Amino acid sequence: MSATATVAPKRKLRPARKQVAEGEVDKSEAIQPGKEYNIWYNKWAGGDKEDALANKTLSQTRCIIARDAGYTRADATGNKYCCLFFARGCCPYGHECNYLHRLPLPNHVLPDNSRDCFGREKHGDYRDDMGGVGSFNRVNRTLYVGKIHESPDKKQAEETLLRHFGEWGKVLRWNILYNRGVAFVMYDSELNAQFAKEAMANQSMDGDEILNVRWATEDPNPGEKKAEARRIEDMGQKAIAGMLDEGLVEAAQTVRALEEGDEQDFYHIEHSKDNEEDEEELPEQPSDEDDKEQRRPIKKVKNTNGGFFDADALDNLKFYAELAKKQALEDQERVKERKVPAKPAGMASLLGGYGSGDDSD
């Protein structure tokens, strides 16, 4: 039986769903454990940390991407930031919202790296409790998940964790600290980690727990630090390579080869089959012995590669580079021939500094 290729039908764009009605969410504040409100950290201060975690209430709403995602006004206006209330599952505007109602795409680029995917400004340092927006001095893709209810079956616990946190993006690694109710989840993109942190805050998985989701501290493992440094370096090289023009790279490498006298550093240009058919090599013209060294085969190639230099220009540059290199070698040999061996030091040379050989004395 021959396999027939089936074409998947195109999914029609749908408007974003209104997650809640206006006034449906209870916005009354819970009892705060602190006594003073810190406007810098946007929280109450002076209370016990354990009391603050114990007084957390389960979120009234939750985002479901398969049901709530869709196009909004931001898709037409070009706004690159996601809706914070959509991530929390409580946006009442739906398709009329001025922010995106979907997950950050893999190629999603923010106009300002000092802001998160929701457009909130980052800070120089993390908060003491590793909550909040985060820091712009570090690319953090790992979330700390506390207060989870563990399953006796470890495979079931991993499946539950990945099912709930894998909804917000590609998960690279995860680690569950059993008997401690703590897990770490690393995403492929920092933007997905930012979205997941807000989407899973004060939520529950399969149990009746209230999750405590925060930013994870830096991994002290030296191998992980090196791997992260290599990943950032590769991303930077790819970004720079995507912005450079091939003709500009060719010209820069050609100039460098001329200056250094290394003809092997020329930018390699692959000719197509049409160029090989159009290429005609003419025999060398007869000349004197002195001119033979400066003669070379002449090639005529049609400039169909669209490069910065055509084939004739590159051949000429290579020819002059070879002459420059040959001349440099000849100059080095002449300098070696002109060197005079040093005379052995005798008594006259030793006493010459005192003027013993001067007739005037």
Side-chain angles (χ1 to χ4, degrees), residues 241 243-255 267 269 305-310 314:
M243 297 173 61
L244 291 179
D245 184 12
E246 295 183 358
L248 182 62
V249 175
E250 175 187 342
Q253 293 188 356
T254 303
V255 172
Y267 187 76
I269 298 179
N305 53 16
F308 193 81
F309 293 112
D310 57 3
L314 287 177

Side-chain angles (χ1 to χ4, degrees), residues 306-349:
F308 193 81
F309 293 112
D310 57 3
D312 286 340
L314 287 177
D315 290 341
N316 292 331
L317 290 174
K318 290 182 181 180
F319 172 67
Y320 289 116
E322 292 176 358
L323 288 181
K325 186 176 180 180
K326 187 181 296 184
Q327 185 176 1
L329 295 175
E330 293 178 356
D331 293 340
Q332 292 179 0
E333 294 178 358
R334 292 175 184 173
V335 171
K336 292 180 181 179
E337 293 176 357
R338 291 179 182 177
K339 288 185 178 180
V340 180
K343 295 181 179 180
M347 293 299 298
S349 61

Side-chain angles (χ1 to χ4, degrees), residues 124-152:
D125 298 323
Y126 284 96
R127 283 180 11 182
D128 295 337
D129 60 353
M130 296 301 290
V133 181
S135 173
F136 53 76
N137 289 322
R138 175 184 163 209
V139 178
N140 198 343
R141 301 177 294 153
T142 307
L143 297 179
Y144 165 91
V145 185
K147 302 294 182 180
I148 63 176
H149 286 183
E150 300 178 10
S151 173

Side-chain angles (χ1 to χ4, degrees), residues 81-85 87 99 116-120 194-195 198:
Y81 296 107
C82 300
C83 179
L84 176 63
F85 300 100
Y99 292 87
D116 66 352
C117 66
F118 304 107
R120 301 176 298 179
Q194 295 170 359
F195 196 99
E198 294 297 334

Side-chain angles (χ1 to χ4, degrees), residues 31-196:
I31 300 175
Q32 300 293 337
K35 299 179 180 180
E36 296 179 356
Y37 187 76
N38 191 325
I39 61 175
W40 178 259
Y41 288 106
N42 192 24
K43 67 175 184 177
W44 290 87
D48 191 12
K49 180 180 179 181
E50 296 298 330
D51 293 340
L53 294 177
N55 291 331
K56 284 190 174 183
T57 58
L58 184 65
S59 177
Q60 304 175 43
T61 58
R62 178 166 179 170
C63 176
I64 301 177
I65 293 295
R67 180 192 64 187
D68 301 334
Y71 66 82
T72 61
R73 291 179 179 177
D75 294 295
T77 59
N79 190 357
K80 300 296 184 180
Y81 296 107
C82 300
C83 179
L84 176 63
F85 300 100
F86 165 74
R88 295 175 178 174
C90 58
C91 182
Y93 299 110
H95 65 279
E96 298 177 353
C97 185
N98 293 322
Y99 292 87
L100 297 173
H101 278 212
R102 56 173 171 80
L103 290 174
L105 300 177
N107 57 350
H108 194 81
V109 179
L110 297 180
D112 188 358
N113 292 328
S114 64
R115 297 177 180 269
D116 66 352
C117 66
F118 304 107
R120 301 176 298 179
E121 291 184 355
K122 297 181 181 179
H123 301 284
D125 298 323
Y126 284 96
R127 283 180 11 182
D128 295 337
D129 60 353
M130 296 301 290
V133 181
S135 173
F136 53 76
N137 289 322
R138 175 184 163 209
V139 178
N140 198 343
R141 301 177 294 153
T142 307
L143 297 179
Y144 165 91
V145 185
K147 302 294 182 180
I148 63 176
H149 286 183
E150 300 178 10
S151 173
D153 187 3
K154 293 185 178 181
K155 292 184 178 180
Q156 180 65 28
E158 292 183 359
E159 188 274 333
T160 302
L161 181 70
L162 294 178
R163 175 161 43 87
H164 286 273
F165 282 86
E167 182 181 0
W168 319 112
K170 181 180 179 181
V171 177
L172 293 183
R173 289 192 295 273
W174 66 91
N175 184 23
I176 300 177
L177 304 182
Y178 296 98
N179 301 325
R180 295 181 61 181
V182 175
F184 294 92
V185 181
M186 175 183 283
Y187 286 90
D188 183 43
S189 172
E190 184 186 18
L191 301 181
N192 294 103
Q194 295 170 359
F195 196 99

